[in-house]
Amino acid sequence: MSLPALDRLATAQARLVTALSHGDIAEIEDASRALAREVDQVRNIAVWHATPELKARATGAVRLAEGARLRLGYLADHGRRRLQMLLGLSGRSAAGYGRDGRIRLPRG
């Protein structure tokens, strides 16, 4: 049945958000792998029967995914700001981005 799969997916998503909030790298990696496994399980369900309960659980899973996405964006921005602050304290100019989208530290 698909409802338990959505429940496991939601639990894995919540675990990842919690791990991101605590900043524990090992737990973030474990939670990410667990979430990937649950996403694969949901993808492998061949037939979904739309019921109000299923729609509610799917909506909840989407909200959790959005929360994780926002948390990642916040953490990435926080990291960039800290890098800029450290560069400023060391007398170096701000970091820029290369064509590949990676941060390029100034020389010097």
Side-chain angles (χ1 to χ4, degrees):
M1 180 174 216
S2 53
L3 289 176
L6 286 177
D7 289 341
R8 288 189 305 273
L9 178 66
T11 299
Q13 289 171 318
R15 179 181 171 202
L16 178 58
V17 170
T18 300
L20 290 168
S21 295
H22 291 127
D24 180 347
I25 299 299
E27 179 60 19
I28 291 170
E29 290 174 344
D30 288 344
S32 295
R33 283 190 290 274
L35 179 57
R37 283 190 302 272
E38 295 307 327
V39 167
D40 286 341
Q41 291 298 316
V42 168
R43 280 188 186 141
N44 289 333
I45 296 173
V47 178
W48 289 86
H49 299 286
T51 64
E53 187 178 10
L54 177 65
K55 288 179 184 179
R57 299 241 181 112
T59 299
V62 169
R63 285 188 184 136
L64 282 169
E66 180 64 9
R69 186 189 68 78
L70 292 172
R71 184 71 176 147
L72 284 171
Y74 167 78
L75 291 171
D77 184 57
H78 183 69
R80 280 189 294 274
R81 288 176 190 237
R82 290 180 70 187
L83 175 62
Q84 298 295 9
M85 181 188 69
L86 290 170
L87 287 169
L89 290 172
S90 68
R92 297 168 80 179
S93 61
Y97 292 89
R99 289 184 183 201
D100 60 359
R102 293 181 181 211
I103 292 179
R104 300 283 185 232
L105 296 176
R107 292 187 176 153

